[in-house]
Amino acid sequence: MSVPQQQFDGFRLDFPATLDDARNAVRSVIEWLADQQILPDECQQWELVLAEAANNAVNYATPEQSRLTVRIEAALSAHDIEVRITDHTSGFDWPDHVELPDDDECDHGRGLFIISSLTDHVSYLRGKGHNVLCLRSQRKSTPKPQEDTEATLELMTAEVASCYETLANIFRLIADAGNDVEPVALASRWLEELRELAGADFLVLRMAGTEAGRLPIVGGVPSAIVWDPLLELRNHDAVETLAAVTRQDQWFDESTTFATADPLRKAGEHISGLSHPLESGGDLAGVLTVGVFKPRWEPSARELNVVRSLGDFLGALLHGLHRRDEANQSRLMKRELQIAADIQRSLLPAELPQTPFVHCAAHLATVGEVGGDYLDAILLPDGSLLFVVADVMGKGVPAALFATAFHSLLHSHLDLASQPSRLMRRLNKAMFAELDRADMFITAQLVHISADGLALQVCGAGHAPLLLSGGSQIQEVCADGPPLGVTADADYQDFSVSLASFTHVLLHTDGLSDVVSGGGILSRDELHTWLQGAAAAASDAGSSRDSLHRLHRSAVDAASQQDDATFMIITRGAQTLTANTQNSLSHAKG
Amino acid sequence: MTLTASAQLTAPAELCAATARLWRDRLDIEIKPGHEEVCIDLSKTRFIDSSGLGVLLTLNKNLRARGASLKLINPSSAVCQLIELTRLHRVFEMIHD
């Protein structure tokens, strides 16, 4: 007997035209049907039908025809079983109506009746040299989904291959990221890679940034699509938002109704795909959307695996890079502030000048690393002194830079020190353009005291008034003009004061007591009372500075505010310099 | 009481075209002219086709011709279904124990 030919998508067997071979052939067909999960009852019926048909193919063959084999073929569809028997007999005309013999006891003539009765459809095709009997019946039960071993194996192989492919891509991605590539460039390159690997038409990647509730775009392909730069997580109708909020994949296709504000509308009308949330350490890292310009996307398991695995990894990597950049930025900022603070400290006089007639002490306080307050005291060649207190609007590096510029300009124009208003005008002219461009300004107070300590000239630029006291009275000198940087050709006036009846002079920034706006810590009256007391007690400059600092400190503590006051005490007279006054600049950092 | 000469035979598992000749030869040997009754045990026959039925019909016809009878004992359901399909239940006497 021939071996079944399994390359046919069904069952096929050629067998010699003998009754024994016919019987064996029928058994083989039935075994095959049983293997195909055909019910035992159906198999039993088909066994009888095929036995009758095969017997006929053998019984009606002439000896010469018997030398040729008979072919039996069986095939299954979802609903039918079909069997064909090809013989080489002379054939016969299949009757229109197949009936049982009239004589019940007749011992033959029932074969065709059995075949017709037990099948739904019979056709007999007579040909030259061969005939084909085609038998078909509906399957009695819906076939269970067959596990196609080859297909399963193929699927598993594809899955393993896909895992290796993903892994290889992850290694490439790690190597790429290790080259210190800028994150946006890295994302763009890998979105293109992903598009090819996943067989997609478009991709858009949004990553969580510093701003909560918003996902800025990191990259999108193709570049022809102009994606919305920001995804608002409040907009719950958008597919990407839904993926981000639910942390679950969101599929979309032709049946999806996109909200009017859905950013995915930018990709076109007939699109389909997947929005996949990216997580890192339990946090939402971003959303990756992959799609095609077709009404329906049916990615293979491999493509889906690549999208999810590589997407997740890319998301985690970019999230990590973002965190690293933030930390670097923070470190850089801290370092810059440190440098600015160093610059600012370098601007302070190493020691304050003291003369037999004029002594001074000062306190500078800064908030954070760098503040905008500035002070200086310069002994001029003729023995006179120039005292400067200034406040650059704002804090941090820009304020420190302007303080530096102010310091440089001041020291390069000391020839005008005896005329503070001219010096102020020069400073304003020199700095106006830069201050105006940066939308900043500087308040300042220049005080010139003659070498004998008896004449004082003061010029202010939007600064707190100068306070003078001799112990029994207080005098405020406003001598005010606009702050530097407000008007290019601002006019400033000198105000002259004879110091004969004053012993104590106080210059300060508005952090100590804003007598103009009332925003300082100490009230105007408190400050006046203190200065009058210090003058009455004939406190030297250092002791007065310490006393005022203590007063201010306690007020700061009581108000839980920051100590950002800068002030300078000038005393006149023949007081002996105390150790406290020598090099009398104190500096506090808030 | 009258004793009837009876032949008891067991049919093969498959009573079909391939086995019909052998089975017919065996019947010729086992059944004697004196047998007034022939009992064929079909309980072990799981498959029968029109050729197998033809053997039984010929036997039945021959026995009746000489006044003897054929009894089919305990036919399996597959055999019963075919006998009924071909309406031979009107011809054969079937006995179920």
Side-chain angles (χ1 to χ4, degrees):
Chain A
M1 198 171 98
S2 305
V3 174
Q5 299 170 23
Q6 292 293 356
Q7 67 272 30
F8 168 64
D9 190 18
F11 181 91
R12 176 183 287 167
L13 177 66
D14 293 333
F15 61 92
T18 71
L19 290 173
D20 282 339
D21 286 312
R23 179 69 194 127
N24 286 332
V26 169
R27 281 201 198 101
S28 296
V29 176
I30 299 307
E31 280 171 15
W32 181 78
L33 287 175
D35 285 346
Q36 306 303 310
Q37 313 297 319
I38 299 301
L39 298 174
D41 281 359
E42 287 180 273
C43 287
Q44 191 179 304
Q45 285 194 0
W46 274 104
E47 186 174 12
L48 185 54
V49 168
L50 296 183
E52 299 299 339
N55 290 345
N56 285 345
V58 172
N59 288 334
Y60 294 100
T62 62
E64 199 165 311
Q65 292 165 342
S66 295
R67 282 201 285 272
L68 300 170
T69 56
V70 179
R71 170 168 287 186
I72 187 164
E73 297 163 301
L76 292 174
S77 71
H79 303 291
D80 296 324
I81 301 171
E82 185 170 308
V83 180
R84 292 175 182 217
I85 294 176
T86 306
D87 67 45
H88 300 283
T89 65
S90 304
F92 63 97
D93 291 328
W94 193 273
D96 291 337
H97 301 288
V98 182
E99 291 176 352
L100 286 168
D102 292 336
D103 178 6
D104 280 349
E105 296 193 42
C106 179
D107 63 359
H108 62 275
R110 292 180 179 79
L112 298 188
F113 178 80
I114 292 170
I115 291 170
S116 297
S117 301
L118 297 180
T119 53
D120 296 339
H121 173 83
V122 179
S123 60
Y124 185 68
L125 307 171
R126 293 183 71 180
K128 195 173 181 183
H130 69 278
N131 315 290
V132 179
L133 173 64
C134 185
L135 308 164
R136 191 171 67 240
S137 279
Q138 198 174 355
R139 295 173 68 160
K140 289 181 180 170
S141 61
T142 311
K144 287 181 188 168
Q146 298 290 304
E147 190 180 342
D148 184 337
T149 313
E150 268 187 43
T152 308
L153 200 62
E154 209 170 290
L155 205 65
M156 287 171 70
T157 309
E159 205 169 309
V160 170
S162 138
C163 287
Y164 276 114
E165 187 185 5
T166 304
L167 206 57
N169 280 312
I170 285 174
F171 287 144
R172 279 204 303 132
L173 180 52
I174 292 170
D176 208 356
N179 291 334
D180 205 20
V181 186
E182 199 269 323
V184 173
L186 183 76
S188 298
R189 189 154 65 241
W190 278 89
L191 285 178
E192 278 293 358
E193 293 257 1
L194 251 179
R195 179 160 72 142
E196 203 167 306
L197 289 167
D201 290 331
F202 66 87
L203 285 97
V204 56
L205 176 64
R206 300 179 187 279
M207 297 296 298
T210 42
E211 210 175 342
R214 286 175 161 192
L215 296 185
I217 191 167
V218 174
V221 290
S223 53
I225 302 176
V226 183
W227 299 100
D228 286 351
L230 220 53
L231 178 72
E232 294 279 357
L233 294 185
R234 286 174 305 178
N235 177 14
H236 275 213
D237 296 335
V239 174
E240 293 166 287
T241 309
L242 214 53
V245 172
T246 62
R247 305 276 186 98
Q248 286 178 347
D249 283 351
Q250 299 294 325
W251 291 88
F252 54 92
D253 58 21
E254 58 183 342
S255 65
T256 307
T257 309
F258 291 98
T260 316
D262 195 316
L264 286 184
R265 278 176 169 266
K266 292 279 171 68
E269 283 186 15
H270 305 290
I271 57 166
S272 54
L274 166 73
S275 277
H276 176 64
L278 307 173
E279 293 184 60
S280 178
D283 296 331
L284 177 73
V287 176
L288 172 67
T289 300
V290 185
V292 292
F293 301 128
K294 291 177 193 164
R296 190 158 191 81
W297 185 43
E298 289 174 348
S300 66
R302 183 196 72 81
E303 289 167 338
L304 208 54
N305 185 31
V306 166
V307 167
R308 288 191 172 128
S309 308
L310 204 53
D312 284 345
F313 192 81
L314 179 62
L317 191 66
L318 290 173
H319 195 59
L321 288 176
H322 178 69
R323 288 260 175 89
R324 187 197 64 186
D325 285 352
E326 271 185 341
N328 283 346
Q329 193 68 32
S330 167
R331 269 199 296 275
L332 197 63
M333 183 72 80
K334 212 167 176 181
R335 177 70 188 137
E336 280 177 359
L337 285 172
Q338 183 60 49
I339 291 169
D342 290 346
I343 291 171
Q344 193 189 36
R345 265 192 289 277
S346 74
L347 301 181
L348 297 175
E351 41 179 81
L352 296 178
Q354 313 291 335
T355 71
F357 303 105
V358 180
H359 305 150
C360 66
H363 174 79
L364 178 82
T366 53
V367 175
E369 292 293 338
V370 189
D373 287 359
Y374 173 85
L375 67 80
D376 209 347
I378 306 156
L379 178 61
L380 298 166
D382 64 353
S384 65
L385 294 128
L386 179 67
F387 299 97
V388 184
V389 172
D391 186 358
V392 184
M393 187 202 83
K395 310 277 180 200
V397 176
L401 289 175
F402 277 109
T404 306
F406 180 86
H407 173 86
S408 300
L409 285 166
L410 179 75
H411 280 259
S412 60
H413 292 94
L414 286 178
D415 53 315
L416 301 175
S418 59
Q419 298 165 280
S421 59
R422 282 189 65 196
L423 179 54
M424 195 72 90
R425 270 196 294 278
R426 182 66 59 85
L427 290 173
N428 183 52
K429 261 195 172 61
M431 295 190 76
F432 174 78
E434 295 303 323
L435 285 168
D436 188 50
R437 193 175 300 128
D439 204 19
M440 293 177 79
F441 61 84
I442 301 173
T443 66
Q445 193 166 57
L446 308 179
V447 175
H448 179 261
I449 296 179
S450 59
D452 58 8
L454 290 174
L456 177 149
Q457 286 194 96
V458 58
C459 176
H463 204 77
L466 184 74
L467 296 180
L468 304 99
S469 179
S472 58
Q473 82 283 26
I474 284 285
Q475 184 174 346
E476 273 188 7
V477 182
C478 288
D480 212 6
L484 305 180
V486 173
T487 313
D489 54 354
D491 193 25
Y492 295 96
Q493 300 295 323
D494 287 325
F495 194 92
S496 300
V497 179
S498 167
L499 291 179
S501 53
F502 299 107
T503 57
H504 286 66
V505 181
L506 173 65
L507 294 80
H508 66 90
T509 60
D510 58 10
L512 179 69
S513 171
D514 191 343
V515 294
V516 179
S517 66
I521 291 296
L522 295 172
S523 71
R524 178 183 177 177
D525 288 346
E526 282 175 312
L527 204 55
H528 285 190
T529 305
W530 171 81
L531 183 60
Q532 201 170 337
S539 296
D540 65 39
S543 303
S544 299
R545 186 265 323 274
D546 294 344
S547 160
L548 181 56
H549 185 223
R550 279 195 300 275
L551 179 68
H552 182 250
R553 186 74 244 169
S554 60
V556 163
D557 290 344
S560 300
Q561 289 190 12
Q562 290 175 312
D563 177 8
D564 58 351
T566 293
F567 58 87
M568 191 183 293
I569 306 282
I570 303 165
T571 57
R572 189 191 64 79
Q575 294 99 331
T576 308
L577 287 178
T578 63
N580 197 25
T581 309
Q582 296 281 10
N583 189 23
S584 206
L585 173 66
S586 66
H587 185 196
K589 197 172 79 176
Chain B
M1 186 179 175
T2 306
L3 290 174
T4 301
S6 174
Q8 310 283 331
L9 291 105
T10 300
E14 293 191 354
L15 188 48
C16 59
T19 59
R21 180 180 294 277
L22 277 173
W23 175 239
R24 192 177 286 121
D25 291 347
R26 192 182 153 204
L27 291 176
D28 288 345
I29 295 167
E30 298 283 339
I31 300 170
K32 307 298 180 194
H35 284 138
E36 295 174 13
E37 183 182 80
V38 174
C39 296
I40 308 285
D41 180 0
L42 287 168
S43 62
K44 294 191 170 52
T45 304
R46 58 157 291 276
F47 180 72
I48 187 168
D49 63 10
S50 63
S51 299
L53 288 177
V55 174
L56 294 177
L57 282 166
T58 304
L59 176 61
N60 187 54
K61 199 173 173 181
N62 292 341
L63 288 173
R64 283 178 59 180
R66 62 176 176 88
S69 65
L70 172 66
K71 287 185 172 61
L72 303 182
I73 312 297
N74 294 328
S76 64
S77 62
V79 174
C80 283
Q81 280 170 15
L82 181 59
I83 287 172
E84 285 181 18
L85 176 71
T86 52
R87 295 181 206 132
L88 292 177
H89 55 285
R90 297 181 300 197
V91 176
F92 292 127
E93 183 182 352
M94 292 188 283
I95 295 171
H96 296 273
D97 284 348

